């Protein structure tokens, strides 16, 4: 059974959904302090195993919650707990970007997205583990469903913290598959908004053409809530929807790389959503689609080589072998080649926009199966790379469990900038996919 | 006579063009130390009047130059002096972003573009004055041609330093008109590359859809050299060109806002380039063009409101009235409106691409005339806003002087991502526009 399906057993405050908790807070039926203490207790109990956090500010969080309890409702996130991926600058907490180069680093300012959440009333519990500069070298975080496995990356700590009821909400970022994949592996909901929807100011840059700030939580309404607080897009707050969803089933050119669990989850979702009234048909993708994974990899490598220039010039010995290899690949790509890649991506975006004339969303795998074992890797972003490159909004939903008992989900992909429509149908689907 | 036309009188090292100096350095006919000392002497003599710098690191620059002189040619910028706009993070120099909020701030790292220049062998002299967060509240910098006037903004110090022979090269950034306008006012060359060509990692974000890193220098080959070092685009190093330039004359819908000096400069350029063999004809612009200035202003305001969230929440009293007004405008724009603006900008980009089927470049004003008096303002970016929004590469060239004896130039605008072609023709034009 997925994490999403066990949000409120016993009504423990840390297990409430964020939106649920917000309603209780608005009615003064629960306090921010209660929510915060429940999450901190959970962290104390579970953190030795899960290792989701680089730092936790228990006293400051409780003080902040008390302040909020004394005043009027401050904003959309009033009193809700939030984990901040350690790729985001924070003025009151160390910020390492997942790299030993930045051990003990304390930025002067908060990332703009962090400030927006503070303004909206969030209680920041601490910083969550990121892989090295949001690439592939893992941190210590374990999968809360089974600590022998990876939580995925790069938003490892955020996904694990939310899945394990340590926080109601958490920030993620995605450059290849760093929101959708850890959400899938941990059995929660991940939402990568359309490209250029959420400010990246103060978030460590990896690839400017790809980096996207998004949300991890345990339900669609909760991920939408966090992004609504960031964009001030009120449409994300009303996800009620009735209608007949037109769903394009997209096995992708990489279908053979999906293991039986991932294939079964997609099939199961197809059946459940058809039964619930959606029209589901095989999506026909433009010919340019199959090449997008290579293009995404080259753009990411080229831009990471540029973005991490200071680090590779001043602290190369503290960069992991896997990231060093990525940067070397980036260095080998000419600017002309990079421009061709960007131009081809732009053409593919226009092609893909036509596809959405026939569908409200695409239903497709978000990961190749269950979370790999911890020692193996943080998993493969193969099933996310093309969608990230296209800049399309993506939502990962938990569906089932695989052979090892770990969560397996599906990914819903919407038309560019049609995030409200995607989230409305995703919320509808979420109710139909629940076991 | 424009600054660009007095690059080598007496052969003083600080007056050499960057490319010229690079050739002499490669042949060991001059040393990096000589170049650096000449610029530092110039700074010492002129800085009390011009106030182009927030800080100068004389000793470190000389030490760096000596190190370079002892070794092999390190890269494209070997031994050339560079001024870094104070919007770029630097690990060895304070970084204020033009705001009292960041007085004495010392970032942990260099901006990626700064690191790339170090790698290419540049000698960083210091930080140059930026307006407040690259908006409109001026710093102390004066126009070197006439200190009673503004050098323009936001790259005020960079333009003044280069125009006054204090540095061979300097960084600029443009969100509205912050490279082209100060270059025009100071009589030098400014180059805003195509959007998303130069890494912005470590540059204070103002508006993610608009912010562009570029170059200020005293010739086209010199601005191209700096950007070549940043992008590794070797095509920018060979600007030899022969052919018949097809030039679209673009008076813009704001022609009446150009004063007689700016109008005369455009006319003078038209005649000079026609005589030199170019075909010049009136460009017909898409109907969407006239609305782009409003769209640019709204996108900039919305995104600045987001990007400066930390500052407006923690230090509102240290934000100038003019920037406060900009942020308030941003706050009033709904996310839906912002998305419509972004979508309309994208459509205009496609329309504009068609225009370039008929022209190699557009010839258009870059500013409304001479630099205003210092007390008045840093000038109006009106003639730059639409091109920045479209993401097109722009080059400002000096042409003449106006009624007050201050420089007046023209702007050349190229097709998106066709920077090498724009720069080749700009270099050709530069020789024809020189008095």
């Amino acid at each position: 059974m997925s994490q999403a399906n066990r949000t409120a057993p016993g009504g423990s405050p840390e297990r409430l959904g964020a939106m649920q908790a917000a309603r209780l807070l608005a009615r003064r039926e629960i306090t921010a302090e209660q929510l915060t203490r429940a999450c901190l207790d959970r962290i104390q109990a579970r953190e030795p195993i899960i290792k989701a956090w680089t730092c936790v500010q228990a006293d400051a969080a409780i003080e902040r919650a008390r302040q909020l309890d004394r005043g009027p409702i401050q904003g959309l996130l009033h009193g809700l707990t939030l984990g901040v991926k350690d790729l985001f600058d924070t003025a009151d907490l160390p910020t390492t970007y997942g790299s030993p180069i930045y051990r003990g680093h304390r930025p002067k300012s908060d990332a703009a997205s962090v400030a927006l959440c503070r303004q909206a009333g969030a209680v920041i519990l601490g910083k969550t583990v990121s892989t090295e500069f949001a690439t592939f070298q893992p941190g210590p975080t374990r999968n809360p469903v089974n600590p022998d496995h990876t939580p995925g990356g790069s938003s490892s700590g955020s996904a694990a913290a939310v899945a394990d009821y340590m926080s109601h909400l958490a920030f993620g970022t995605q450059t290849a598959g760093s929101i959708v994949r850890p959400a899938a592996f941990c059995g929660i909901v991940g939402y990568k908004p359309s490209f250029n929807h959420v400010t990246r100011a103060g978030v460590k840059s990896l690839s400017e053409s790809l980096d996207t700030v998004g949300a991890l939580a345990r339900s669609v309404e909760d991920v939408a809530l966090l992004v609504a607080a960031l964009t001030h897009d009120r449409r994300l707050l009303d996800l009620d929807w009735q209608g007949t969803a037109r769903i394009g089933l997209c096995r992708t050119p990489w279908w053979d790389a999906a293991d039986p669990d991932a294939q079964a989850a997609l099939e199961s979702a197809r059946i459940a959503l058809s039964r619930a009234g959606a029209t589901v048909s095989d999506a026909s993708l433009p010919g340019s689609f199959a090449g997008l994974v290579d293009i995404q990899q080259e753009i990411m490598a080229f831009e990471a080589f540029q973005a991490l220039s200071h680090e590779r010039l001043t602290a190369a010995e503290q960069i992991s072998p896997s990231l060093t290899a990525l940067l070397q690949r980036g260095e080998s790509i000419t600017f002309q080649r990079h421009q061709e890649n960007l131009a081809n991506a732009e053409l593919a975006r226009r092609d893909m926009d036509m596809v959405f004339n026939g569908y409200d969303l695409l239903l497709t795998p978000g990961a190749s199966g269950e979370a790999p074992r911890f020692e193996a890797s943080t998993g493969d972003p193969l099933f996310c790379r093309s969608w990230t490159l296209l800049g399309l909004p993506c939502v990962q939903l938990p569906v089932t469990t695989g052979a090892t008992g770990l969560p397996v989900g599906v990914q819903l992909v919407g038309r560019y900038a049609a995030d409200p429509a995607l989230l409305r149908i995703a919320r509808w689907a979420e109710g139909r996919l629940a076991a």
Side-chain angles (χ1 to χ4, degrees), chain A residues 84-172:
Chain A
V84 177
K85 184 178 181 179
D86 202 23
L87 206 67
F88 293 60
D89 281 349
T90 44
D92 58 349
L93 291 165
T95 301
T96 73
Y97 315 126
S99 164
I101 298 170
Y102 289 90
R103 193 172 287 134
H105 171 48
R106 184 70 65 99
K108 165 90 172 149
S109 309
D110 286 336
S113 49
V114 171
L116 286 161
C117 286
R118 287 194 206 274
Q119 186 179 27
V123 176
I124 292 170
L125 296 176
K127 302 295 284 285
T128 61
V129 170
S130 169
T131 61
E132 182 189 22
F133 298 120
T135 59
F136 300 102
Q137 180 69 22
T141 311
R142 302 287 176 146
N143 192 311
V145 183
N146 180 341
D148 292 336
H149 291 254
T150 179
S154 65
S155 308
S156 317
S158 284
V162 163
D164 206 44
Y165 308 107
M166 296 168 167
S167 183
H168 297 96
L169 299 167
F171 272 119

Side-chain angles (χ1 to χ4, degrees), chain A residues 244-298:
Chain A
T244 303
R246 298 171 308 154
I247 296 178
L249 188 70
C250 178
R251 294 194 177 85
T252 79
W254 312 285
W255 183 244
D256 291 345
D259 68 22
D261 289 329
Q263 294 186 353
L266 194 74
E267 179 63 9
S268 154
R270 183 188 68 75
I271 293 169
L273 298 180
S274 295
R275 282 196 186 137
T279 61
V280 186
S281 56
D282 283 326
S284 151
L285 296 184
S288 57
F289 188 78
L292 296 182
V293 164
D294 286 345
I295 292 175
Q296 191 277 343
Q297 289 184 296
E298 291 198 1

